[in-house]
Amino acid sequence: MSDYPPYDPAQDGFLVKEITQWCIGNGLVMLNDAQEGLSAMHAPVTTYPTNYPKEALEEALSIQTTYNKLYINLCQQKEWIESQLVDLAQLDPSFTGRLVDIYNRLKSEPDGFPQKLTGGLFRSDYLLDKNQNQIKQVEFNTVSVSFGGLSAKVGELHDYLFKSGAYAQKPSGKLQISKSVGLLTEGLAKMHAAYGNKEAAVLFVVQPNERNVVDQRLLQYGLAESSIPAFRVTLTDVRKFIERRDDNTLIHQPSGKEISVVYYRSAYAPTDYPTETEWDARYFLEKSTAIKCPSVLTQLSGSKKVQQLLTSVETIKTVSPSLSAQQIQSLIKSYAKIYSLDNPDEKVKNLALKDSLKYVLKPQREGGGNNIYKEDIAPFLEKLSEDKWGAYILMELIEPAEKTNKILRSGKIHHGGIISELGIFGTGLWEESGSEILFNEEASFLLRTKLQESNEGGVAAGFGCIDNIILD
Ligand code: ADP
Ligand code: MG
């Protein structure tokens, strides 16, 4: 679609004003300075919604509850997940290992798991493979999934631009508006209800320098609509504001409210634990009657290593025996090839060292900026002794379909080739030491778009923004 969106600098100037002012008027913003927190700017967005194939969106939406179930079930299959945790801890002792330590410590204590229910707000991310015209999963996120709030706002922005006559050339196709903010809020509200104390409050555990606060606040505002209070606290400040009673209930001070759900928008990266205070806080929260969203075990289940193990049909059948053959088939169809580098055979070694232009190397980390791409893989691995390779997985690069769009960032429009990553949200509540699943739902979509950087051959750096879908 070379003529969509139109390249018209005169129109661009008009759109910049339309969009920046709509964003400010409607809260599609990020803080300028997280510390000061008094002013905000429009979030980076596309000026037009991006074309996306209907079948691909429908497929991604329809397999979400199967993915949710797979990850829920694997946390319930204690024998399997615990044996994987031993390996995970060895491969990455300084971070993953410490999370595993918390789990093991709780397990060794008679009252280590005072809450049998665990909650999940998940997001499964995909790129559309241009050769097969097929969605391929990039990763499955089990902790701190973001942009569920702002995704819905971008849909409303594009809808406004449509209806207000701002587009000189009206895109054809059906505009989608993500329902993620309502559905994720509903997920949290149902966890809160399952806790069983109507007077209790939800605790958001957040990063101290968060600029993407509105994305999180939208969920909090949604909870308030249902008269569910919520408080925000950093991991560092947990012990200042939260008391744990002898019966393991958490009490927020000064409100005196009991905590029903601990919702993590932090605690997933090494930088979230600068000192022992934060590690202590994580253990403190885990050992409580509050429903953790997610528990440390569920967080660990989202590791890249587990994702690699789940590409085997045998493993899927072991961890989630009640999935039908058709459900398993739909999962396998959405997988890209992933190889373990733990004792790799010659074939896999050669892929990593000699054929690396087709691959990305990923460590056991979340949150972006950790991957090693293509020609950088061989020199990186050669410097690393082979017994340390197992900490990484080798994943085939998905070649995304290329489109054109305009990105508005810090008041400036960038027009060019783009690639888009689709995220599908999911919600769930289940017995972590048991087999019951109380709910498992799909929770609408997010489209993130980046300007394509030719020297990275489809793996764009920078210029990421929130986008929205118009169906082909
Ligand atoms: P993180 O946990 O850091 O978010 P991801 O696995 O999502 O790690 O990788 C970060 C980014 O790298 C993705 O958003 C995507 O743009 C790119 N990427 C990751 N895996 C692939 C892949 N197999 N093919 C192409 N691009 C990829
Ligand atoms: Mg990611």
Side-chain angles (χ1 to χ4, degrees):
M1 288 208 106
S2 54
D3 58 343
Y4 175 79
Y7 182 71
D8 179 356
Q11 162 78 356
D12 281 357
F14 169 73
L15 275 181
V16 170
K17 265 215 173 105
E18 282 298 308
I19 295 175
T20 52
Q21 292 179 6
W22 190 94
C23 289
I24 289 165
N26 294 276
L28 178 44
V29 294
M30 288 187 187
L31 294 183
N32 285 327
D33 179 316
Q35 286 289 320
E36 171 241 23
L38 294 176
S39 66
M41 182 165 49
H42 74 89
V45 292
T46 53
T47 61
Y48 286 73
T50 293
N51 284 107
Y52 207 83
K54 184 164 181 261
E55 310 75 59
L57 175 64
E58 280 174 358
E59 182 183 345
L61 289 167
S62 72
I63 57 178
Q64 185 60 33
T65 51
T66 309
Y67 268 119
N68 294 346
K69 182 156 193 257
L70 178 65
Y71 276 82
I72 290 170
N73 283 165
L74 80 85
C75 290
Q76 293 171 326
Q77 294 280 354
K78 288 291 172 301
E79 208 179 311
W80 186 85
I81 186 69
E82 285 176 3
S83 73
Q84 301 311 327
L85 292 185
V86 175
D87 289 350
L88 277 173
Q90 274 168 5
L91 297 174
D92 177 33
S94 66
F95 181 65
T96 314
R98 294 215 58 182
L99 292 171
V100 173
D101 284 346
I102 292 178
Y103 177 76
N104 286 334
R105 184 172 166 195
L106 294 167
K107 205 183 150 203
S108 72
E109 295 168 351
D111 59 345
F113 299 107
Q115 174 56 257
K116 66 174 194 290
L117 299 177
T118 288
L121 298 189
F122 301 132
R123 202 187 66 221
S124 185
D125 292 335
Y126 306 91
L127 289 169
L128 187 62
D129 180 287
K130 69 174 175 193
N131 304 311
Q132 300 173 39
N133 198 29
Q134 167 65 44
I135 48 159
K136 292 283 176 186
Q137 189 182 54
V138 173
E139 64 162 343
F140 190 85
N141 300 283
T142 58
V143 62
S144 190
V145 302
S146 57
F147 295 121
L150 295 189
S151 175
K153 290 261 177 207
V154 183
E156 289 165 24
L157 163 70
H158 290 151
D159 189 45
Y160 162 76
L161 295 170
F162 258 77
K163 288 177 176 160
S164 67
Y167 289 143
Q169 181 192 330
K170 245 193 179 176
S172 60
K174 197 166 182 319
L175 183 77
Q176 302 297 294
I177 299 180
S178 175
K179 302 184 190 77
S180 50
V181 66
L183 293 172
L184 293 177
T185 306
E186 197 180 298
L188 284 175
K190 286 201 279 194
M191 292 172 208
H192 170 82
Y195 183 78
N197 174 356
K198 280 207 176 81
E199 300 305 313
V202 174
L203 187 71
F204 285 46
V205 180
V206 299
Q207 293 178 331
N209 293 310
E210 182 63 77
R211 287 185 59 231
N212 193 23
V213 165
V214 174
D215 184 50
Q216 305 173 353
R217 286 282 186 187
L218 288 166
L219 302 186
Q220 190 176 357
Y221 302 153
L223 290 173
E225 293 269 302
S226 308
S227 299
I228 302 171
F231 300 102
R232 294 166 61 84
V233 64
T234 63
L235 211 46
T236 312
D237 284 348
V238 160
R239 298 295 289 266
K240 278 190 215 149
F241 295 105
I242 309 293
E243 172 197 331
R244 191 173 66 197
R245 298 220 168 120
D246 289 345
D247 61 359
N248 291 318
T249 51
L250 296 180
I251 308 293
H252 174 262
Q253 295 301 358
S255 71
K257 291 230 170 252
E258 187 170 335
I259 298 300
S260 55
V261 180
V262 175
Y263 171 46
Y264 290 104
R265 290 297 291 260
S266 172
Y268 57 85
T271 45
D272 294 328
Y273 301 86
T275 69
E276 288 306 308
T277 303
E278 292 76 25
W279 285 111
D280 171 67
R282 183 66 195 265
Y283 166 76
F284 175 86
L285 293 174
E286 287 299 303
K287 191 179 171 168
S288 72
T289 59
I291 294 173
K292 271 69 70 182
C293 178
S295 67
V296 74
L297 185 67
T298 303
Q299 177 176 340
L300 286 163
S301 78
S303 77
K304 308 282 195 283
K305 180 73 196 164
V306 170
Q307 186 191 4
Q308 176 255 313
L309 293 167
L310 290 175
T311 56
S312 138
V313 173
E314 283 316 302
T315 308
I316 296 176
K317 286 182 177 162
T318 306
V319 300
S320 196
S322 64
L323 288 182
S324 68
Q326 202 187 353
Q327 284 174 315
I328 295 177
Q329 196 44 43
S330 67
L331 296 178
I332 295 292
K333 211 171 129 198
S334 71
Y335 286 159
K337 285 207 179 78
I338 310 179
Y339 301 95
S340 162
L341 287 183
D342 196 13
N343 286 319
D345 59 22
E346 278 308 306
K347 188 189 131 224
V348 173
K349 253 195 206 172
N350 277 333
L351 296 180
L353 297 175
K354 303 207 173 108
D355 206 11
S356 63
L357 288 181
K358 295 194 195 120
Y359 294 93
V360 49
L361 187 69
K362 300 190 185 182
Q364 310 302 320
R365 286 281 183 281
E366 300 303 316
N370 303 301
N371 297 342
I372 295 140
Y373 293 95
K374 296 158 83 172
E375 60 271 17
D376 296 336
I377 295 176
F380 180 87
L381 287 177
E382 275 156 7
K383 269 194 243 131
L384 202 67
S385 75
E386 248 184 82
D387 59 326
K388 301 239 156 52
W389 285 22
Y392 298 82
I393 57 155
L394 186 71
M395 182 173 189
E396 194 174 53
L397 276 172
I398 305 156
E399 282 191 75
E402 294 146 29
K403 304 248 162 90
T404 318
N405 204 340
K406 305 180 197 206
I407 289 176
L408 177 68
R409 237 188 124 85
S410 304
K412 287 203 179 61
I413 286 192
H414 308 264
H415 189 116
I418 52 143
I419 53 176
S420 300
E421 188 167 326
L422 177 69
I424 306 293
F425 295 100
T427 60
L429 181 68
W430 64 95
E431 286 180 345
E432 195 162 276
S433 26
S435 56
E436 201 189 335
I437 298 178
L438 285 81
F439 69 87
N440 165 13
E441 277 157 32
E442 167 259 296
S444 205
F445 71 89
L446 158 76
L447 195 70
R448 278 174 305 168
T449 285
K450 295 170 181 179
L451 270 189
Q452 196 176 12
E453 295 260 288
S454 55
N455 62 352
E456 281 230 329
V459 182
F463 295 113
C465 77
I466 317 164
D467 194 349
N468 183 43
I469 291 178
I470 182 158
L471 292 179
D472 273 349

